[in-house]
Amino acid sequence: MMKKEHFRWLAFFTFLPFIAGIALGQSKQETQALWYDTAAKNWLEALPLGNGTLGAMVFGGIQQEVIQFNESSLVSGSPNTMGYYQPFGSIKITQPISGAIHYHRRLCLDSAVQTVSFQTATTGYKREYFISYPDKAMVVRYTSNTKNALNGTIELNDAHNAQIVVNGRSIMATGTLKENNMQYQSRLWVNASGGTMSSDGHSIQVSNADEFTLYVVAATAFDTDINKGFTRDLPTKSLENQLNQVANTPFPQLLQRHLTDFGALYHRVQFRLGSTPQLDTLPTNKRLVAYHSNGGTDNGLEALLYQYGRYLLIASSRTGGLPANLQGIWNNEYKPAWYAQYTTNINVEMNYWLAEQTNLSECHFPLLHWIETLAAASKQSKDAALQTQKGWLCYSTNNLFGAPSTWRLHRPGAAWLTQHFWEHYAFTQDKSFLSQRAYPLLKEIVEYWEGHLVPNKAGRFISPDGWSPEHGPNLNETDKSPYPGASYDQQIVYDLFTNYIEVATILQRDTDYCKKITQLRNQMLPPQIGKWGQLQEWMEDVDRQDDHHRHNSHLFAVHPGRQINPILTPELAKAAVVSLDARGNKSTGWSTAWKINIYARLMQGNKAHDQIKALIKPAPESKGISTYSGGLYPNLFDAHPPFQIDGNFGYTSGVTEMLLQSQAGFIHFLPALPNGWKEGTIKGLKARGNLTVDIYWKNSQLTKAIVKPTISGKYIFRVGDTTKTIAMVSGRKYELDGALNDRN
């Protein structure tokens, strides 16, 4: 009898991942799952789920499961005060289980479903977890291969001591944050098959059930509309209706809706980077250690981390919601580092570098909407530092209302943020968006900088009060002095002017003004090469070779800007390499990710790969802030330390830049392919001009590229030193060989 039950459990355990992959037409590629053979002992071992609004960290405990959750708008700030992103609550499921063996905890990236499975002497247990975007709810199902084997106590705990009401099968927490009077509510419902259910004032008890399912919804009284004062009535009735709907929908139907929705985004890109089947047998935390110990020879882990970045963006940034913050959507602390909000001197921008290029354009919209909100909030602010006759300004860190931390004014921040509007157009070719949303925003910031730039002694226009985050020229972290002509300001404004000129030309608007801005841009102080061959960070040649600062601000012109390119501006590109080399290989997680992107743009594939190896290492367990450490936690969250999600997103962007670039007016295949990536395939990337691109290579050489344009025209392609112009017709698929010959 035991053998029969054991066989039944094994079949039961393997069924869900198999059927999910088949249902979505999953192709064979690298393992796309994080998995572990023990439960999480702490938050940085738990695994993330999310639907862009509701986020959860699942611990996978045997006797006591903990699911800590967040809702993206629960913050302690306001339109006038910064505040912190807050934890919402947790769910605890306690079960009388002992003697568990064959434990397996798994997050399938390609289905966004977590599973936990284990056995005892008589019973096999399985749990499934997902958070649905179409159904706006978290769903958790407990099953076993033995009838009447499930017993448990279910609690809903509120992180802010809200009132808990248990009523039959439901638990509800309703509260108000004391810092800003923000109202919020979470609701939980339990369905059970077989057995009995009971409740007391604190929990719901399930006894002798065949299976039981939890459904969780949560919301606040926050509204994304600034014109409504960012407030609405707490949507109590809406939450009740959501909960009723999911609780009365069969689990397979909820799962299929989730798989269809998530898969429509995730499966656009497929990535295979060699084959490492022997390493797939290692739990993810042990695989991370092995990667670092063995000198970074696990291409499969590199590919997994790439898709993890895409997974995390889908989970933390969906249409209609807020943008991914410094921790995406996941936080368990009341005062997380740097508020866990939006920092504009690199971090929030890095969060979205991957959005367009990895075919997740829809996930970009929350950031674009928030930038418009920030613009409106800055214009309404009475803060003297933000007052300006044209355009708008922002501080380095801001919350979801647009309120700042006031730590430091980030004068070119608005200009950098507008780059995302240009990039969205460049990849999608959406002229309606360009005309109605991008152009007005770009023009007002251009008008600000037109009036703010001043000529230096040589007649070149400079920023009179420049900055290079977050230090001065003498390795001084506390230096807040203005530095006229600092390269960071110069390069961002040059990029702003260039984007505006292209937009105005495409739309055929304001021709005379466009000519004026073109002339002004050409009169700006350009990037300068210093005495040790470096790209200068400051207008004066005072750069120090021992400056290993985490920010690479004076290399904005390489990435995410497009002013410096090895093919078009080789001398400046060479100087940029000298500067980046001098920064060194030891830094924070996000800084290392930025270096991957910059080295990729400089066509330095092996150096970019060295940065990948520096990023993929076990992070220190300490939760304190460290200036230079980096690494990854056991759940592959990136470490500053502490946890910052920008490093995950920046990594995925950087790998994409190594394989495909299109910022310089041509589509460049494998521009920074390292020696360690001898063969591979990546499908579904986007190039500017709204082309979908598949790339195949072997023995470090392009073997095939498949290009699908959406607009008819002539396109320039490059691989190695070969360049070809090919006329293409919208809707057709073109297959190019390794020499860029059209095989059609």
Side-chain angles (χ1 to χ4, degrees):
M1 184 67 182
M2 279 293 294
K3 290 184 179 179
K4 183 176 180 181
E5 288 292 356
H6 181 64
F7 175 79
R8 179 184 173 195
W9 168 243
L10 289 176
F12 177 65
F13 164 66
T14 57
F15 179 71
L16 178 81
F18 172 79
I19 199 66
I22 295 299
L24 293 170
Q26 176 184 322
S27 64
K28 185 178 180 181
Q29 52 181 317
E30 308 288 350
T31 299
Q32 296 187 65
L34 281 65
W35 72 274
Y36 306 80
D37 54 12
T38 60
K41 295 186 289 292
N42 58 61
W43 194 82
L44 292 168
E45 294 181 1
L47 293 172
L49 293 171
N51 66 357
T53 300
L54 187 63
M57 297 293 286
V58 181
F59 284 67
I62 296 172
Q63 290 86 8
Q64 185 177 80
E65 171 63 286
V66 176
I67 306 171
Q68 184 268 325
F69 66 94
N70 296 90
E71 199 276 350
S72 61
S73 64
L74 190 69
V75 297
S76 60
S78 72
N80 300 307
T81 57
M82 186 64 204
Y84 294 86
Y85 184 46
Q86 293 294 295
F88 207 110
S90 63
I91 302 152
K92 290 184 180 178
I93 305 113
T94 305
Q95 294 184 282
I97 297 173
S98 60
I101 58 173
H102 301 311
Y103 180 92
H104 189 91
R105 178 167 60 104
R106 188 179 192 89
L107 168 60
C108 293
L109 301 183
D110 50 355
S111 64
V113 174
Q114 284 194 47
T115 56
V116 170
S117 61
F118 53 89
Q119 293 175 243
T120 64
T122 59
T123 305
Y125 296 88
K126 183 177 180 181
R127 306 168 186 168
E128 301 152 73
Y129 316 72
F130 63 90
I131 301 182
S132 171
Y133 177 73
D135 286 299
K136 300 180 176 63
M138 174 162 48
V139 182
V140 179
R141 182 168 74 161
Y142 276 50
T143 53
S144 77
N145 63 351
T146 303
K147 288 184 67 65
N148 306 120
L150 295 176
N151 298 280
T153 299
I154 300 155
E155 302 173 56
L156 174 64
N157 298 309
D158 183 80
H160 303 276
N161 300 315
Q163 180 184 11
I164 305 292
V165 177
V166 182
N167 185 7
R169 297 184 178 188
S170 72
I171 308 177
M172 181 174 66
T174 305
T176 302
L177 291 184
K178 62 182 181 180
E179 296 89 347
N180 59 1
N181 294 319
M182 179 180 284
Q183 295 178 304
Y184 63 91
Q185 185 177 94
S186 60
R187 291 172 177 250
L188 180 150
W189 182 274
V190 183
N191 280 344
S193 174
T196 60
M197 292 178 59
S198 61
S199 62
D200 55 29
H202 304 286
S203 62
I204 296 172
Q205 293 80 43
V206 176
S207 302
N208 304 318
D210 299 332
E211 68 174 69
F212 64 87
T213 306
L214 280 62
Y215 312 88
V216 181
V217 296
T220 75
F222 173 80
D223 194 300
T224 58
D225 190 346
I226 189 173
N227 296 317
K228 296 180 180 178
F230 297 108
T231 60
R232 61 176 178 172
D233 292 335
L234 184 65
T236 302
K237 190 63 179 178
S238 176
L239 285 176
E240 182 182 353
N241 291 339
Q242 284 174 232
L243 198 59
N244 287 339
Q245 181 177 336
V246 294
N248 287 290
T249 302
F251 178 86
Q253 192 172 330
L254 291 172
L255 176 61
Q256 189 56 54
R257 279 206 292 255
H258 164 71
L259 292 174
T260 299
D261 167 75
F262 181 84
L265 293 169
Y266 183 88
H267 288 283
R268 292 174 182 173
V269 170
Q270 297 177 25
F271 187 27
R272 185 176 184 275
L273 195 58
S275 180
T276 52
Q278 72 281 8
L279 295 172
D280 289 345
T281 62
L282 285 177
T284 302
N285 54 329
K286 297 177 183 178
R287 191 172 184 178
L288 174 62
V289 173
Y291 179 97
H292 184 58
S293 299
N294 297 333
T297 57
D298 184 354
N299 290 353
L301 182 59
E302 293 169 347
L304 177 68
L305 189 62
Y306 177 90
Q307 289 287 39
Y308 192 41
R310 296 183 68 249
Y311 167 87
L312 291 170
L313 187 63
I314 299 169
S316 62
S317 184
R318 295 296 299 270
T319 302
L322 290 161
N325 64 38
L326 203 60
Q327 296 184 184
I329 200 173
W330 301 279
N331 170 49
N332 67 331
E333 298 182 359
Y334 295 102
K335 290 188 175 182
W338 303 290
Y339 311 98
Q341 297 272 289
Y342 307 110
T343 299
T344 64
N345 63 24
I346 179 64
N347 312 95
V348 72
E349 292 93 345
M350 182 182 285
N351 281 6
Y352 286 87
W353 288 345
L354 79 159
E356 302 292 344
Q357 59 183 185
T358 71
N359 218 335
L360 296 175
S361 186
E362 299 93 326
C363 295
H364 208 171
F365 280 112
L367 175 66
L368 301 176
H369 176 78
W370 178 78
I371 292 169
E372 292 167 328
T373 297
L374 178 63
S378 296
K379 291 174 184 177
Q380 294 176 13
S381 174
K382 292 180 170 51
D383 186 334
L386 297 178
Q387 303 307 305
T388 177
Q389 292 183 344
K390 294 184 178 180
W392 52 278
L393 299 171
C394 65
Y395 282 89
S396 289
T397 301
N398 303 268
N399 66 14
L400 53 84
F401 305 96
S405 71
T406 70
W407 170 73
R408 174 149 189 168
L409 186 69
H410 183 207
R411 194 173 297 276
W416 188 345
L417 290 169
T418 64
Q419 185 191 62
H420 286 266
F421 285 76
W422 163 253
E423 289 289 85
H424 179 71
Y425 168 76
F427 279 95
T428 65
Q429 300 293 292
D430 184 344
K431 283 193 176 179
S432 176
F433 172 87
L434 188 70
S435 175
Q436 296 174 21
R437 296 180 67 181
Y439 185 80
L441 194 70
L442 266 75
K443 186 179 180 183
E444 66 178 354
I445 303 301
V446 167
E447 289 174 332
Y448 169 80
W449 282 100
E450 176 197 3
H452 192 70
L453 296 178
V454 297
N456 66 5
K457 293 178 181 179
R460 291 287 192 171
F461 281 88
I462 62 171
S463 169
D465 40 20
W467 183 37
S468 193
E470 297 172 351
H471 70 148
N474 296 308
L475 312 186
N476 185 354
E477 288 273 344
T478 63
D479 188 350
K480 293 187 178 183
S481 304
Y483 288 95
S487 295
Y488 177 71
D489 286 43
Q490 297 296 122
Q491 293 172 12
I492 290 177
V493 176
Y494 183 97
D495 185 75
L496 168 71
F497 285 175
T498 299
N499 295 340
Y500 170 76
I501 291 163
E502 292 199 27
V503 172
T505 301
I506 292 165
L507 297 176
Q508 298 182 338
R509 282 199 201 170
D510 300 323
T511 304
D512 290 341
Y513 187 67
C514 182
K515 291 178 180 177
K516 182 180 181 182
I517 296 304
T518 302
Q519 184 178 17
L520 178 58
R521 182 196 64 178
N522 294 341
Q523 292 175 330
M524 289 181 64
L525 178 70
Q528 300 176 93
I529 299 175
K531 58 193 173 189
W532 44 278
Q534 87 282 11
L535 193 72
Q536 289 182 202
E537 187 164 2
W538 317 96
M539 185 168 66
E540 298 80 12
D541 190 359
V542 296
D543 299 275
R544 292 175 51 164
Q545 289 179 276
D546 61 346
D547 185 350
H548 306 309
H549 199 269
R550 61 195 174 274
H551 281 264
N552 310 299
S553 304
H554 57 308
L555 300 175
F556 178 97
V558 180
H559 185 279
R562 51 191 170 123
Q563 187 178 0
I564 296 176
N565 177 278
I567 297 168
L568 303 178
T569 58
E571 293 303 315
L572 290 174
K574 182 180 178 181
V577 172
V578 172
S579 284
L580 193 54
D581 286 349
R583 277 299 204 250
N585 287 338
K586 186 178 180 182
S587 195
T588 65
W590 62 261
S591 177
T592 303
W594 194 1
K595 290 174 183 176
I596 298 170
N597 285 269
I598 298 171
Y599 274 128
R601 286 278 181 94
L602 293 169
M603 298 170 55
Q604 300 285 318
N606 289 331
K607 289 184 177 180
H609 200 202
D610 287 342
Q611 294 299 319
I612 287 174
K613 294 174 183 178
L615 185 143
I616 303 177
K617 64 181 180 182
E621 294 183 7
S622 171
K623 298 183 73 175
I625 296 172
S626 170
T627 302
Y628 295 105
S629 184
L632 301 173
Y633 294 109
N635 62 5
L636 300 190
F637 274 174
D638 186 75
H640 180 292
F643 161 50
Q644 281 187 204
I645 205 166
D646 41 18
N648 291 99
F649 295 144
Y651 169 84
T652 300
S653 169
V655 171
T656 307
E657 293 283 352
M658 294 167 74
L659 301 176
L660 179 69
Q661 295 178 24
S662 58
Q663 77 284 352
F666 52 87
I667 297 165
H668 197 170
F669 302 125
L670 307 179
L673 189 68
N675 294 340
W677 294 353
K678 297 294 184 185
E679 64 175 290
T681 304
I682 191 159
K683 301 178 182 179
L685 295 180
K686 282 289 187 178
R688 292 166 181 82
N690 199 5
L691 299 92
T692 305
V693 178
D694 304 343
I695 304 171
Y696 303 74
W697 70 95
K698 192 172 184 178
N699 298 322
S700 300
Q701 299 293 320
L702 178 72
T703 57
K704 180 173 63 175
I706 296 175
V707 180
K708 289 166 274 188
T710 58
I711 299 171
S712 299
K714 292 183 177 180
Y715 297 92
I716 303 171
F717 298 92
R718 183 182 180 100
V719 63
D721 294 327
T722 301
T723 301
K724 286 193 176 180
T725 301
I726 303 174
M728 292 185 168
V729 177
S730 172
R732 287 186 58 187
K733 181 170 72 174
Y734 295 81
E735 184 175 319
L736 310 181
D737 65 17
L740 302 181
N741 297 308
D742 185 359
R743 289 177 173 174
N744 294 335

